[in-house]
Amino acid sequence: MSRLSLATLDALKTDVIRPAYDPAGLAIGVVHFGPGAFHRAHQAAYLDAIAAFDPRWGICGVSLHSTGVRDALVPQDGLYTLAILDEEIKYQIIGSMREVLVGPEDIEAVLERLTRDSVGIVSSTVTEKGYCLMPDGALDFAHADIVHDVAHPQTPKSFVGYVVEGLRRRHAKGQKPFVLIPCDNLPKNGHRLKAAVVALAAKHDQALADWIEANLQCPCTMVDSITPATDDALRARVEAATGVADAWPIQREAFTQWVIEEHIHDGGPDWARAGVTLTDNVPAYERAKLRLLNGPHSTLAYVGLHKGYESVSEAMTDAELAGFVRDLMIEDVVPLLEAPKGLDLVAYSEAILKRFRNPAIRHLLSQIAWDGSQKLPIRLLGSLSEALARGADIRRFGVPLAAWIRFVRHKAVTGEAITDPLAAELIALGKMLKDDVSDVQTVLALRAVFPEALASDAKVSAALEVAYADLLAAEKVAA
């Protein structure tokens, strides 16, 4: 079986969607940090659509750590297959990824791309932890990569470090800054990233920091599309459907959304023509997505794993669990939100639940459960805090948090790894737990996750203790 590449595009089966342009003719206009599954299913697909009418916005992907994407895509001339899984399954070849660099091996090459006149956009999907921020959103100067970048700014390790050094070089050359577009699930992601960039720049050059503050555009964004991890089953499906082998195809649902804060970018991409929403109220979209999709996703992950399910669609076949998630969304979260203009939050919630049930998507709960210490404060604790302040019923919020505690405990006693920046601390904490309701107070003392105001509130403790006791009782019945 031949491998996907520019030379084998003609070997594709006739129903496979090909690039509507010559991929080799694209200029590098975007440098994207974190070219993993979500980026290649989402932003790269939008830029693929833009490439059909504007060839200036090819992507240079930059991996900060792993060589996997580069090693898979370079032999394929940057091409890969996007499987769009819905009632009708489609296979599309994406050609917008023109090169992939690995930061630790290609530092100067990355910095050269950041200073090219053709590069107008730097974007990122480096996960919440990749921004090296503290819980309050400020740059964490104690983070090992930031410590390095303060000491050695011209050989950066962190994403923020690369941005600062790239901007320093552009400033020195008299170039205008690129537009910086973060695409991770962080509240006010543009504001937080810009503040982090300014803070790091100020460590060495206040004049540079002032120039960045005055000139760098860093719009807030919201992104959405369910993107399960690639596995060998997908590789086999793609090979059978396309007629060529693909080392790293990507899969996602048909639904996709990208909301970008309106900004001035003379000569920039025609985002709207590609289906991007430009708005002056990203926070409303962001909060709706974080709290009505990501929060319920984490709920399904921890409660579903506790009940023995493996995927989102499988967990949604449990009528009790699906009903609980719906009630959490519509009864508890929707009343806390401001609806963006034209968006019905209840209808939006029902559409999300339908997406969760999509049997064509096998989104593993174990994947969604990654990085819980970073995700839970953003996805669930914000809603819990607001509900508490309004005097609303908070009991349902206790359930996913209690399930996360059981998740940590299970990993600790079985010796399984936890994918989380606080993995070592969580494993140590999990080993301390006694499998009774006293565990709740032990975990609430973890300030990296639970702020003092929540941890010390009697109503929060009570809600978690009731939920935790119920989970312990369910375990005894199951045993």
Side-chain angles (χ1 to χ4, degrees):
M1 179 71 69
S2 59
R3 185 167 177 179
L4 177 64
S5 69
L6 290 173
T8 60
L9 283 175
D10 289 341
L12 293 168
K13 293 186 177 180
T14 57
D15 56 348
V16 177
I17 303 169
R18 295 162 173 76
Y21 56 90
D22 176 11
L26 295 186
I28 298 295
V30 179
V31 176
H32 181 87
F33 287 79
F38 186 81
H39 167 68
R40 287 185 285 138
H42 188 274
Q43 297 94 25
Y46 281 94
L47 289 164
D48 187 82
I50 287 172
F53 57 84
D54 187 346
R56 296 175 299 153
W57 304 106
I59 304 166
C60 168
V62 178
S63 173
L64 290 171
H65 304 289
S66 172
T67 63
V69 175
R70 180 198 61 191
D71 294 347
L73 296 193
V74 167
Q76 298 180 179
D77 299 318
L79 304 179
Y80 60 91
T81 310
L82 175 62
I84 301 174
L85 308 180
D86 209 331
E87 293 178 3
E88 179 185 0
I89 298 176
K90 299 179 181 179
Y91 297 91
Q92 177 179 355
I93 306 302
I94 302 296
S96 54
M97 184 74 69
R98 298 318 312 135
E99 62 178 356
V100 181
L101 302 175
V102 177
E105 299 178 14
D106 304 308
I107 293 176
E108 277 304 316
V110 174
L111 293 171
E112 187 277 330
R113 304 304 187 272
L114 291 175
T115 56
R116 283 188 181 180
D117 289 333
S118 65
V119 170
I121 295 168
V122 173
S123 54
S124 58
T125 46
V126 293
T127 76
E128 293 93 334
K129 63 186 177 184
Y131 294 88
C132 304
L133 303 179
M134 296 188 294
D136 65 359
L139 186 64
D140 182 3
F141 282 101
H143 190 287
D145 288 350
I146 301 301
V147 170
H148 172 276
D149 291 351
V150 169
H152 308 284
Q154 295 184 24
T155 56
K157 286 187 175 182
S158 73
F159 166 56
V160 175
Y162 272 104
V163 171
V164 171
E165 179 60 11
L167 288 169
R168 185 193 69 78
R169 295 187 182 197
R170 292 181 79 98
H171 184 232
K173 292 171 64 176
Q175 295 172 299
K176 65 181 181 179
F178 39 67
V179 176
L180 186 58
I181 305 180
C183 299
D184 284 288
N185 291 320
L186 289 170
K188 301 180 181 178
N189 55 10
H191 300 163
R192 290 189 177 192
L193 176 55
K194 182 174 180 177
V197 170
V198 170
L200 184 57
K203 283 290 184 179
H204 291 285
D205 186 339
Q206 187 59 51
L208 173 63
D210 293 341
W211 178 78
I212 293 171
E213 180 68 56
N215 295 282
L216 178 65
Q217 294 191 80
C218 190
C220 295
T221 68
M222 188 276 282
V223 296
D224 187 11
S225 193
I226 296 172
T227 308
T230 297
D231 55 18
D232 288 339
L234 176 65
R235 290 184 178 90
R237 287 179 62 184
V238 165
E239 183 171 322
T242 64
V244 297
D246 186 341
W248 206 329
I250 301 297
Q251 58 185 335
R252 69 160 167 83
E253 62 178 335
F255 178 90
T256 183
Q257 185 178 32
W258 194 0
V259 180
I260 302 178
E261 185 176 27
E262 291 177 326
H263 59 283
I264 299 170
H265 188 183
D266 294 335
D270 188 345
W271 293 118
R273 185 171 172 183
V276 175
T277 299
L278 298 171
T279 180
D280 62 358
N281 193 9
V282 170
Y285 283 94
E286 174 187 88
R287 283 163 57 87
K289 190 256 182 172
L290 284 171
R291 299 190 179 191
L292 291 174
L293 186 140
N294 296 122
H297 239 177
S298 290
T299 300
L300 280 168
Y302 298 119
V303 181
L305 287 169
H306 188 267
K307 299 187 78 167
Y309 298 116
E310 293 186 354
S311 71
V312 172
S313 58
E314 183 184 0
M316 287 294 291
T317 64
D318 184 317
E320 180 183 26
L321 177 53
F324 172 84
V325 170
R326 183 183 186 278
D327 289 344
L328 178 70
M329 295 166 70
I330 294 175
E331 300 298 328
D332 298 333
V333 178
V334 165
L336 304 173
L337 297 174
E338 167 198 4
K341 184 178 180 180
L343 182 64
D344 181 319
L345 292 175
V346 173
Y348 179 65
S349 300
E350 297 289 8
I352 288 171
L353 291 167
K354 182 179 179 181
R355 292 165 61 193
F356 287 169
R357 294 188 183 95
N358 182 355
I361 292 285
R362 182 169 169 76
H363 199 176
L364 294 179
L365 300 176
S366 57
Q367 179 190 2
I368 300 167
W370 291 352
D371 300 332
S373 70
Q374 310 295 295
K375 293 175 178 176
L376 290 176
I378 296 169
R379 298 180 173 196
L380 284 164
L381 297 188
S383 294
L384 172 58
S385 297
E386 291 180 20
L388 193 66
R390 296 188 186 194
D393 189 343
I394 65 167
R395 289 176 293 178
R396 273 187 284 262
F397 290 109
V399 174
L401 299 174
W404 177 67
I405 298 173
R406 295 310 296 161
F407 171 82
V408 171
R409 171 63 171 167
H410 173 76
K411 294 290 188 182
V413 299
T414 60
E416 298 177 35
I418 296 180
T419 302
D420 194 289
L422 299 183
E425 188 172 354
L426 292 176
I427 290 294
L429 185 67
K431 290 179 178 178
M432 294 169 52
L433 301 182
K434 301 176 180 178
D435 292 334
D436 61 42
V437 292
S438 69
D439 293 346
V440 168
Q441 293 305 316
T442 301
V443 177
L444 282 176
L446 184 62
R447 286 294 166 269
V449 178
F450 297 98
E452 174 68 28
L454 281 181
S456 62
D457 192 286
K459 292 181 180 178
V460 173
S461 295
L464 264 71
E465 287 171 0
V466 169
Y468 197 73
D470 287 344
L471 293 179
L472 290 173
E475 290 175 21
K476 290 180 180 179
V477 171

